[in-house]
Amino acid sequence: SQQGEEDPQALSIQEGENATMNCSYKTSINNLQWYRQNSGRGLVHLILIRSNEREKHSGRLRVTLDTSKKSSSLLITASRAADTASYFCASDMVDYKLSFGAGTTVTVRA
Amino acid sequence: DAGVIQSPRHEVTEMGQEVTLRCKPISGHDYLFWYRQTMMRGLELLIYFNNNVPIDDSGMPEDRFSAKMPNASFSTLKIQPSEPRDSAVYFCASSPQGALGGELFFGEGSRLTVL
């Protein structure tokens, strides 16, 4: 079963706008990760945030984590056409397993 | 490093046939994971290995599925006999530390279609 759920399922924005997607998970975690998947390709790791961190930045990406609400958000600033992809949150479960959410499909219009 | 290498990239077979998917992890990574991705169920963890030993196969759907890792540089996922509901993209991923330690490195996937 999936540990995380993303919201929204799909997002369409204009180039240059910001994109925000949310993730909720069910059980306590050690860390939460975000991945990107371009159409027909494998998943690529974007960023990892540990349970004792509240916010993390990487380039145009900003991730927040609220362990009290069991939720995380991914913000992509100044979006580009190349950001068009599906984005997944993934939370660790016991025994080194990683459980993925259903993903948010982001379309950036030129 | 070339990354995680999977083969074949695409496989079309008929129901009842045996299917073998292959994976070469990144050298030095101690963990190897097999995931299956479908529209209906998303990404499901099937099995993972640590130092070539299967640790958790609770995600393997049924006895028709089997996975092996004979050495640190090679793993197979076999389906015998295959059924149409096995149609999916199968991903292999490797990691130096497992999910608790950091990121997983994914291959490009093997898209399986069972007719």
Side-chain angles (χ1 to χ4, degrees):
Chain A
S1 64
Q2 291 176 332
Q3 162 80 317
E5 297 290 337
E6 281 95 342
D7 171 60
Q9 287 187 314
L11 185 59
S12 180
I13 56 174
Q14 200 75 28
E15 203 165 24
E17 293 180 339
N18 296 342
T20 301
M21 59 210 85
N22 304 296
C23 166
S24 60
Y25 56 92
K26 298 173 184 174
T27 62
S28 296
I29 58 171
N30 294 293
N31 67 63
L32 187 137
Q33 304 180 34
W34 286 89
Y35 287 78
R36 183 188 73 228
Q37 183 180 32
N38 291 90
S39 180
R41 307 295 298 274
L43 282 78
V44 175
H45 181 263
L46 295 176
I47 195 165
L48 179 152
I49 186 166
R50 301 200 182 277
S51 60
N52 61 354
E53 298 176 310
R54 292 296 167 260
E55 188 171 312
K56 201 163 183 179
H57 296 256
S58 177
R60 294 184 296 113
L61 304 179
R62 172 178 168 255
V63 169
T64 63
L65 179 64
D66 187 334
T67 53
S68 66
K69 295 181 179 178
K70 290 187 171 59
S71 68
S72 174
S73 68
L74 172 66
L75 167 68
I76 305 172
T77 60
S79 63
R80 306 166 181 170
D83 295 329
T84 294
S86 292
Y87 292 82
F88 296 87
C89 68
S91 52
D92 64 325
M93 299 169 70
V94 296
D95 296 335
Y96 297 90
K97 297 193 291 189
L98 202 61
S99 178
F100 287 82
T104 294
T105 299
V106 175
T107 303
V108 181
R109 306 186 306 273
Chain B
D1 203 318
V4 176
I5 300 173
Q6 292 187 245
S7 64
R9 289 294 313 277
H10 302 274
E11 174 96 4
V12 180
T13 190
E14 293 192 345
M15 183 174 62
Q17 297 297 306
E18 178 179 294
V19 173
T20 298
L21 307 178
R22 299 172 177 80
C23 174
K24 176 179 169 54
I26 294 173
S27 177
H29 284 191
D30 292 334
Y31 289 84
L32 184 139
F33 303 81
W34 282 100
Y35 282 88
R36 177 172 69 176
Q37 186 178 37
T38 61
M39 289 295 291
M40 289 297 295
R41 301 175 67 87
L43 275 156
E44 302 173 279
L45 176 64
L46 301 178
I47 185 172
Y48 82 94
F49 296 82
N50 179 22
N51 291 322
N52 314 337
V53 176
I55 302 301
D56 188 336
D57 65 354
S58 60
M60 296 286 261
E62 48 198 276
D63 292 345
R64 296 185 297 106
F65 286 70
S66 62
K68 294 181 180 179
M69 192 164 185
N71 56 63
S73 59
F74 185 65
S75 177
T76 59
L77 179 67
K78 186 174 293 187
I79 308 172
Q80 167 64 20
S82 59
E83 297 182 3
R85 59 189 167 131
D86 301 331
S87 296
V89 181
Y90 291 82
F91 286 101
C92 175
S94 70
S95 171
Q97 299 173 325
L100 294 182
E103 66 179 286
L104 271 60
F105 295 79
F106 281 80
E108 296 287 20
S110 294
R111 180 176 294 276
L112 173 65
T113 302
V114 183
L115 302 174

